Amino acid sequence: MVSKNIEKALNEQVKIEAESSQIYLAMACWAEVQGLEGIAGFMYSQADEERDHMLKLVKFINERGGHAQISALTAPNGSFASFKEMFEKLFEHEVYVSNSINELVHISLQEKDYATHNFLQWYVAEQIEEEAMARTILDKINLIGNDKGGLYLFDRDIQQLTITTASTSSTP
Ligand code: FEO
């Protein structure tokens, strides 16, 4: 059974994961209309993953005697000055999500809720992966700079990354 405090904190995370999905969906749309299908595909698959993160939380809350809340979401930003800016936003957002997960872990320990603490370890591991991936992508983008040929190759390569991530994903 989750306490009211834990239930509230988990529900706040449900909203964050749902908003993450919307944020990446908006990024996918922006990339798609710019004609970069590899990047768009990557963002669409990120959006799907975030929805899975949200669902996993929803099910956990309900199974533990709480009631998952599906709330209104903040509209995401839909346009970017550059791909670099878009991926910087992605990285910043993942750092924000990691901080939020860490706070949840902290609350679960304070309340001695070891079931929730155990459940959250999946998210801790996932955030390490997501931050690392975002950092790798940013490094590549910094190497490319304003080179159009480089961007073309990056768009092609990221398609491969999407396929590899999908096949090795630790999604529930
Ligand atoms: Fe579910 Fe990318 O955080």
Side-chain angles (χ1 to χ4, degrees):
M1 186 84 190
V2 283
S3 71
K4 282 288 158 210
N5 196 28
I6 295 269
E7 181 183 2
K8 183 169 174 282
L10 288 171
N11 270 319
E12 278 162 16
Q13 193 65 31
V14 167
K15 184 169 187 264
I16 289 174
E17 300 292 347
E19 284 177 342
S20 302
S21 184
Q22 298 293 89
I23 287 169
Y24 298 149
L25 194 55
M27 288 180 176
C29 291
W30 187 76
E32 196 160 50
V33 298
Q34 306 290 318
L36 289 162
E37 286 171 12
I39 294 171
F42 171 80
M43 288 299 181
Y44 278 123
S45 102
Q46 287 299 112
D48 284 348
E49 274 198 31
E50 299 300 350
R51 182 175 158 79
D52 285 342
H53 297 176
M54 178 202 67
L55 280 176
K56 196 175 157 76
L57 278 158
V58 161
K59 287 176 184 165
F60 179 78
I61 295 166
N62 291 339
E63 275 166 13
R64 296 287 300 153
H67 187 173
Q69 300 300 311
I70 309 304
S71 48
L73 306 177
T74 308
N77 179 21
S79 67
F80 305 89
S82 63
F83 284 95
K84 185 175 172 195
E85 187 197 84
M86 186 177 76
F87 280 105
E88 279 169 352
K89 297 277 182 230
L90 180 145
F91 178 67
E92 283 167 20
H93 184 71
E94 287 303 329
V95 171
Y96 164 74
V97 175
S98 296
N99 289 339
S100 166
I101 295 288
N102 287 344
E103 187 55 31
L104 264 174
V105 171
H106 178 68
I107 297 169
S108 70
L109 281 178
Q110 267 183 336
E111 295 215 4
K112 298 192 170 123
D113 180 344
Y114 298 115
T116 299
H117 182 265
N118 185 51
F119 167 76
L120 289 171
Q121 296 313 301
W122 184 88
Y123 287 85
V124 172
E126 183 71 11
Q127 283 314 119
I128 293 170
E129 265 184 41
E130 297 216 337
E131 273 191 43
M133 183 178 63
R135 209 176 277 120
T136 304
I137 290 173
L138 266 187
D139 286 347
K140 282 191 201 292
I141 292 204
N142 282 328
L143 278 174
I144 294 166
N146 292 322
D147 180 46
K148 288 250 189 293
L151 185 58
Y152 173 81
L153 292 175
F154 174 76
D155 186 59
R156 200 189 59 184
D157 288 352
I158 202 169
Q159 239 156 349
Q160 200 51 45
L161 185 67
T162 309
I163 294 161
T164 316
T165 311
S167 63
T168 58
S169 172
S170 49
T171 299

